[in-house]
Amino acid sequence: MLTNMKQEILNAKKNKQAIPQFNINNLEWTKFILEECQKENCPVILGVSESAIEYMGGYNTVVNLVKGLIKDLKITIPVSIHLDHGSSLESCIKAITAGFTSIMLDKSKEILEINIKETEQLIEKAHPNILVEAEIGPIGTTINNSKYTNFEDCKELVKTKIDLLAPAIGNKHGIYEGQAELDYNLLEKINKLDIPLVLHGASGLSKEDIKKCIELGIVKINYNTDLQLAWAEAVKKYINKNKEEYDPRKIIKSGEIALKTVIKEKINQLR
Ligand code: G3H
Ligand code: ZN
């Protein structure tokens, strides 16, 4: 069932649980993710970056692919199609027109005034049916030598009536070098703004970190790298063992079990 996930996010917040966002790259990944989430009876947000959209053929292709799989695989769990790190209003509008149910506009690298202004413009086009996520602070980088968001900026951005806020709390995309340094005091403070919070860059974080984040108001958790690492390792092993194989279906599918295993593990940490 395609949904914007609003109700599920509010329920998760009430029950101190989180909903996973798993990023998709192609038909097979989308199918494997939907199958595993259905098996686990877990609502899922399919995150699609602009580069993945381009890779897959375009905004309409992504929406029709997901709708087709939901129908053919008889998927009954709530599923949302989410533009991940939308870079411009233009891209967000293309996603809305194609049928995405949830949009992230990432203006975190701009000054606060621009982030607020463009987020407000998006909300005008998206609400009430489509969810809007905004990012604040330097996720995976630094602003004024800090890798943490400014609390006052969060307060201002939340006034735009966004549905979800993704703050920089020491999280980063990709592989963490050493131990992640998440600022739980900052997260606790931001949580008092009473807005559903998103954790980007969840790959590589410990079970304990994830648990603590959920306790402190994180309701949407984004995973990509850990899925890619597990899938790629399994496929490389398969190719090494089956040097003569040339059927792309067998090669791509050889990462299925590894991918589904990580998905299951992640889901079990969220509830
Ligand atoms: O927006 C996507 C995520 O934040 C994924 O981060 O690749 O570190 O898991 P990750
Ligand atoms: Zn992200």
Side-chain angles (χ1 to χ4, degrees), residues 21 23 84-85 104 139 172-176 199-204 222-226 228:
Q21 172 184 309
N23 281 51
D84 192 28
H85 295 282
M104 173 191 192
I139 295 183
K172 77 180 271 286
H173 293 110
I175 297 169
Y176 286 83
L199 181 68
H200 281 253
S203 293
N222 293 6
Y223 298 100
N224 189 20
T225 304
D226 276 349
Q228 293 182 329

Side-chain angles (χ1 to χ4, degrees), residues 43-72:
V44 65
I45 297 164
L46 300 173
V48 208
S49 65
E50 286 168 353
S51 57
I53 291 169
E54 201 188 324
Y55 176 80
M56 284 193 264
Y59 296 81
N60 294 299
T61 307
V62 170
V63 172
N64 288 317
L65 167 71
V66 174
K67 282 186 177 167
L69 286 171
I70 290 177
K71 196 167 173 194
D72 287 341

Side-chain angles (χ1 to χ4, degrees), residues 238-249:
Y238 176 83
I239 293 173
N240 273 333
K241 259 207 237 151
N242 301 273
K243 291 215 164 58
E244 306 302 316
E245 186 55 67
Y246 57 85
D247 181 341
R249 290 169 298 184

Side-chain angles (χ1 to χ4, degrees), residues 44-112:
V44 65
I45 297 164
L46 300 173
V48 208
S49 65
E50 286 168 353
S51 57
I53 291 169
E54 201 188 324
Y55 176 80
M56 284 193 264
Y59 296 81
N60 294 299
T61 307
V62 170
V63 172
N64 288 317
L65 167 71
V66 174
K67 282 186 177 167
L69 286 171
I70 290 177
K71 196 167 173 194
D72 287 341
L73 300 174
K74 300 187 175 47
I75 299 294
T76 53
I77 47 159
V79 177
S80 147
I81 313 174
H82 175 79
L83 176 65
D84 192 28
H85 295 282
S87 64
S88 64
L89 269 175
E90 196 196 350
S91 157
C92 294
I93 287 162
K94 276 191 198 159
I96 292 173
T97 310
F100 278 58
T101 59
S102 172
I103 307 283
M104 173 191 192
L105 175 62
D106 180 357
K107 288 286 161 182
S108 59
K109 287 178 189 67
E110 304 285 354
I111 55 166
L112 179 66

Side-chain angles (χ1 to χ4, degrees), residues 1 26-39 44 46 64-77 79 253 256 260:
M1 178 191 65
N26 55 21
L27 161 71
E28 290 85 350
W29 273 56
T30 314
K31 178 172 178 275
F32 300 154
I33 292 169
L34 287 174
E35 284 173 341
E36 190 60 20
C37 292
Q38 175 73 30
K39 195 172 133 237
V44 65
L46 300 173
N64 288 317
L65 167 71
V66 174
K67 282 186 177 167
L69 286 171
I70 290 177
K71 196 167 173 194
D72 287 341
L73 300 174
K74 300 187 175 47
I75 299 294
T76 53
I77 47 159
V79 177
K253 201 176 160 55
E256 176 181 0
K260 287 183 168 175

